Amino acid sequence: DVKVTQSSRYLVKRTGEKVFLECVQDMDHENMFWYRQDPGLGLRLIYFSYDVKMKEKGDIPEGYSVSREKKERFSLILESASTNQTSMYLCASSLARGDANSPLHFGNGTRLTVT
Amino acid sequence: AQTVTQSQPEMSVQEAETVTLSCTYDTSESDYYLFWYKQPPSRQMILVIRQEAYKQQNATENRFSVNFQKAAKSFSLKISDSQLGDAAMYFCACQEPSGGGADGLTFGKGTHLIIQP
């Protein structure tokens, strides 16, 4: 089974802090994604990556950046955390672009609270 | 561009009964894929079922089946013999392989399914 591991389940940070959310997948997937999940808004794509050192903006990239130095690891960075970034963050991976036989596999999520 | 709409924020069903979750979508592509994902209280999103748009036959996975109406752009999920473990948030999603960005995967806002014992 594919395993997508997010380093923290719960995280509490202060406004203005730099925050790193880490995600690792163990199945050599090409694609990795960061989503944000908020009640009533569903999942919204923040950033994604199709290859090492490659990144593309999703629907709501403002206030975030990402890093993919190794194929298995995709980090989400909040340069200066703000209270409106309090949310559930979901990491996902998939085998190859445009291949529906490879659906998204999700991590357990990180619930981030910014105070 | 694509949109996915789930019009039922919350549904409730008695254990052992059947429930149908609604989903409509809008896409200009002729080739696309549709998915239902389940998110239980443990938070991990799990794929429930998928459907290729070019296939007319509705997908089935054990107690889960879909009613895919391509012309109406409707993709509902039917859960038969509901069990307590089915309680979760259910998300409908559409994927356009030829689209840009993250495999063109767009999610609906979710339906919270409650199972009454």
Side-chain angles (χ1 to χ4, degrees):
Chain A
D1 274 353
V2 176
K3 191 163 185 181
V4 180
T5 304
Q6 294 184 229
S7 55
S8 302
R9 199 155 170 86
Y10 299 94
L11 211 51
V12 180
K13 295 292 182 181
R14 293 186 182 276
T15 301
E17 276 193 82
K18 189 169 186 176
V19 181
F20 293 85
L21 302 184
E22 305 288 346
C23 175
V24 177
Q25 50 92 4
D26 66 357
M27 283 300 290
D28 202 34
H29 282 180
E30 292 182 2
N31 309 325
M32 296 190 75
F33 311 86
W34 275 105
Y35 286 89
R36 172 177 172 158
Q37 182 180 7
D38 298 287
L41 297 179
L43 277 71
R44 293 179 291 168
L45 182 64
I46 305 172
Y47 266 97
F48 58 97
S49 169
Y50 292 122
D51 201 351
V52 175
K53 295 190 185 294
M54 177 273 178
K55 59 184 179 184
E56 288 195 30
K57 294 179 180 179
D59 299 319
I60 50 163
E62 295 78 20
Y64 303 94
S65 63
V66 290
S67 172
R68 194 167 182 198
E69 296 296 319
K70 295 184 178 180
K71 191 174 184 179
E72 67 270 20
R73 185 180 297 270
F74 192 38
S75 303
L76 179 69
I77 304 158
L78 287 66
E79 295 290 341
S80 177
S82 64
T83 54
N84 62 13
Q85 292 178 309
T86 291
S87 186
M88 172 75 78
Y89 291 88
L90 295 175
C91 176
S93 71
S94 67
L95 182 61
R97 185 175 189 179
D99 181 2
N101 288 322
S102 173
L104 295 185
H105 296 266
F106 286 86
N108 277 337
T110 295
R111 186 172 296 280
L112 172 66
T113 301
V114 182
T115 61
Chain B
Q2 55 193 314
T3 58
V4 177
T5 303
Q6 293 178 250
S7 58
Q8 306 151 317
E10 187 172 281
M11 292 280 286
S12 182
V13 64
Q14 289 290 130
E15 192 176 3
E17 292 188 349
T18 295
V19 63
T20 299
L21 307 185
S22 301
C23 173
T24 58
Y25 60 93
D26 189 19
T27 176
S28 56
E29 299 287 333
S30 58
D31 181 24
Y32 54 90
Y33 304 89
L34 297 163
F35 304 85
W36 278 98
Y37 280 87
K38 168 185 177 181
Q39 186 181 39
S42 66
R43 301 196 321 219
Q44 181 151 35
M45 295 271 279
I46 304 164
L47 177 66
V48 175
I49 200 166
R50 72 187 116 179
Q51 174 85 39
E52 290 94 336
Y54 64 86
K55 289 186 177 179
Q56 292 187 341
Q57 186 174 6
N58 289 326
T60 300
E61 289 286 341
N62 301 313
R63 296 183 295 107
F64 297 87
S65 62
V66 299
N67 183 5
F68 173 47
Q69 302 288 330
K70 190 172 185 178
K73 294 184 178 177
S74 171
F75 183 61
S76 60
L77 175 70
K78 186 172 84 171
I79 306 173
S80 304
D81 186 24
S82 298
Q83 299 175 1
L84 295 178
D86 295 334
M89 282 291 292
Y90 286 82
F91 291 94
C92 179
C94 179
Q95 179 185 40
E96 296 175 347
S98 60
D103 299 319
L105 193 66
T106 300
F107 287 85
K109 294 182 179 180
T111 296
H112 181 212
L113 179 63
I114 299 167
I115 309 295
Q116 305 279 7

